[in-house]
Amino acid sequence: MNVQEAFAWVESLSRFGIKPGLSRVQRVLAALGNPQVGLRFYHVAGTNGKGSVCAMLCAMSMAVGHRTGLYTSPGFDGLNGRMVIDGQPIDDSSFATYATVIREAIEQASSEDPLTEFEVLTVMALLYFADKQVDVVVWETGLGGRYDATSVVTPMVTAITNVSYDHVEILGPTLADIAYDKAGIIKPNIPFVTGAEGEAYGIVEKVAKSVGARVVRLGADIRIERTAYDDHYQTLCYRGVAHDVPAFELSLFGPHQIDNAAIALAMFELAHPDLEDADWLRAVAALRTVHWPLRFEVFQHGAAPLVLDGAHNPAAAHTLALSLKEMSAALSMAPLWHMVIGVFRDKDAQSMLKEVLPLAQDVIVCRPNHARGADPEEIRGLIEAQAPQLPIRIIEQPAVAVTEALKAPGPLVIWGNLHMVEDARKAISKLGMNYWT
């Protein structure tokens, strides 16, 4: 296949949807010589924050000279962006080559039960990272954990950032169901880090103890606090498993990133028990420069900030609202933002809006360029029910909505889901906008 054919084939597999189970992937990997064997993984799951933890792990790993693979879902910048080595996405030629190899392996090993799109990309990432002989792989789950294709690996350390309600139609209706599914990434005798709380923590702890995995709990075994912040950096203090840091700076903004930093630091410690002090300090220093697209990513909009955030569930919307308030406070400005909103119809939009709308001075509703995109008229109705006096416009296309929103001076936030926000980012990039300085 050439690259166009490869992209078309992989995307066509979305028709199979989500199929729980690991057997399909295991059969195909066996036919390909099990490329995952010998690779060293940080395996990260959680409802929110797992992408940010992955970004921090990558920054720390590269800072100490490790050739680092990153697999995320969804990835930034299309299918290529799902698998990255040292910050560079897989090239088109390699993508086409691996797609051809995997399609042949599926025909031989699993023709009666084809792989899904996500499963093919997972196998591709493993082949790519093995061929390029990366030192470590930062490995993000796609959905849940127990039956997620990424669970075919044996990691150095695992983590569940937190557990809240999302994907209930797949993972189960209760928090206990969701926690149990995510706990499927926990492996026998592999250390496990978590920021889960309450009932969810009880579930994941029970699973970990049942397989002999050491549990490292945020707030008990590791601690972190913020001592200062401005509109660029958060200054944090960390007490870890074997290493402490009295003060370091984190470039990712928002109170939720404090816990994410602690989880990333603990995972890094546990994966490298013989870490030298000099390497530890280099790893920590890297957190001052880490960026993670579409997660409270801040650009310069005249004299005001423009925030892009892929918040797509109530918990993420809550942390977005807290971060917007803190950004306003850091800049001594009124906590009212222009907003562009686009959500998926299978999300709890009503609860999401409840968290963020109190900070809106006006809203443009758009339709995400995705089959799951919600009807803007329905979202307008939800907004009007919660904030009857709030000015609302509908502009269907995200890029046009962003262009229109930029005409108004003042702080702007674009949020609702990662697909729509990525389209918005592309529109912003064409305008040559710079990061917040």
Side-chain angles (χ1 to χ4, degrees):
M1 289 186 284
N2 60 36
V3 69
Q4 289 79 18
E5 292 168 335
F7 286 146
W9 173 66
V10 172
E11 290 170 348
S12 75
L13 301 176
S14 63
R15 68 185 185 276
F16 296 122
I18 297 170
K19 299 194 293 185
L22 304 179
S23 59
R24 290 176 301 280
V25 175
Q26 290 168 333
R27 286 195 299 270
V28 173
L29 286 171
L32 294 168
N34 286 314
Q36 75 278 14
V37 176
L39 290 172
R40 305 170 73 232
F41 297 87
Y42 299 96
H43 198 181
V44 185
T47 303
N48 295 305
K50 56 185 181 291
S52 297
V53 169
C54 287
M56 291 185 235
L57 285 169
C58 282
M60 290 190 287
S61 180
M62 289 188 287
V64 299
H66 292 162
R67 185 167 169 79
T68 304
L70 170 65
Y71 180 61
T72 57
S73 175
F76 175 67
D77 198 22
L79 294 178
N80 300 69
R82 297 281 191 98
M83 54 206 79
V84 173
I85 295 177
D86 288 349
Q88 296 300 313
I90 185 172
D91 62 276
D92 286 351
S93 177
S94 296
F95 190 99
T97 298
Y98 289 121
T100 302
V101 169
I102 293 168
R103 186 169 68 173
E104 293 173 354
I106 292 172
E107 291 171 353
Q108 295 173 5
S110 193
S111 60
E112 295 182 358
D113 191 9
L115 271 60
T116 66
E117 178 184 27
F118 180 73
E119 289 169 341
V120 165
L121 292 170
T122 301
V123 173
M124 185 181 297
L126 292 171
L127 282 173
Y128 181 51
F129 295 149
D131 285 351
K132 296 300 182 182
Q133 299 181 328
V134 299
D135 298 311
V136 295
V137 177
V138 179
W139 196 240
E140 181 188 6
T141 58
L143 181 64
R146 186 165 304 278
Y147 302 112
D148 189 82
T150 62
S151 289
V152 297
V153 308
T154 300
M156 301 181 289
V157 58
T158 63
I160 295 174
T161 56
N162 50 56
V163 180
S164 61
Y165 288 98
D166 199 13
H167 301 294
V168 294
E169 73 285 357
I170 298 169
L171 302 182
T174 71
L175 206 61
D177 292 329
I178 297 168
Y180 181 74
D181 195 286
K182 292 184 186 298
I185 73 164
I186 300 170
K187 298 293 193 298
N189 304 312
I190 302 297
F192 164 63
V193 183
T194 187
E197 298 178 337
E199 179 187 19
Y201 174 73
I203 298 293
V204 300
E205 181 193 41
K206 183 177 180 180
V207 172
K209 288 184 175 180
S210 73
V211 298
R214 176 186 178 183
V215 178
V216 175
R217 186 182 186 186
L218 178 62
D221 305 296
I222 57 172
R223 296 183 183 276
I224 194 165
E225 64 177 332
R226 182 172 62 184
T227 58
Y229 76 93
D230 58 24
D231 57 313
H232 287 86
Y233 301 106
Q234 305 190 77
T235 303
L236 309 177
C237 173
Y238 171 76
R239 192 207 74 187
V241 178
H243 297 83
D244 297 336
V245 191
F248 69 99
E249 291 184 328
L250 175 66
S251 58
L252 298 181
F253 192 85
H256 59 294
Q257 296 293 5
I258 301 170
D259 288 353
N260 291 336
I263 290 170
L265 286 164
M267 292 185 75
F268 192 81
E269 282 192 89
L270 291 165
H272 306 287
D274 300 320
L275 192 67
E276 295 184 0
D277 288 344
D279 282 339
W280 172 248
L281 293 175
R282 276 193 288 269
V284 172
L287 297 181
R288 191 179 191 275
T289 61
V290 66
H291 287 286
W292 190 227
L294 313 183
R295 281 78 166 182
F296 211 88
E297 189 177 18
V298 188
F299 289 85
Q300 190 89 32
H301 173 39
L306 184 164
V307 173
L308 299 178
D309 195 281
H312 60 279
N313 56 45
H318 177 73
T319 58
L320 170 60
L322 291 177
S323 300
L324 292 173
K325 291 176 185 177
E326 290 200 344
M327 176 65 78
S328 297
L331 295 171
S332 299
M333 68 182 194
L336 290 176
W337 296 69
H338 303 292
M339 292 189 183
V340 176
I341 300 173
V343 302
F344 281 172
R345 63 174 178 270
D346 55 354
K347 297 297 181 180
D348 185 359
Q350 185 173 22
S351 296
M352 291 164 60
L353 292 167
K354 183 178 179 181
E355 296 286 350
V356 187
L357 279 185
L359 304 179
Q361 59 176 306
D362 55 57
V363 174
I364 296 175
V365 183
C366 65
R367 186 191 299 270
N369 291 323
H370 192 281
R372 291 160 58 199
D375 183 348
E377 287 289 353
E378 293 183 8
I379 304 304
R380 187 217 292 265
L382 294 175
I383 295 172
E384 289 176 339
Q386 294 190 29
Q389 305 304 317
L390 190 65
I392 308 169
R393 287 182 289 167
I394 290 178
I395 300 177
E396 290 259 344
Q397 289 299 319
V400 180
V402 170
T403 300
E404 188 64 23
L406 288 171
K407 293 179 180 178
L412 168 65
V413 57
I414 302 168
W415 69 279
N417 72 80
L418 289 167
H419 292 274
M420 185 277 288
V421 175
E422 183 172 1
D423 283 344
R425 193 182 195 275
K426 291 175 182 176
I428 288 168
S429 297
K430 290 179 180 178
L431 298 174
M433 300 180 74
N434 297 317
Y435 274 126
W436 180 250
T437 57

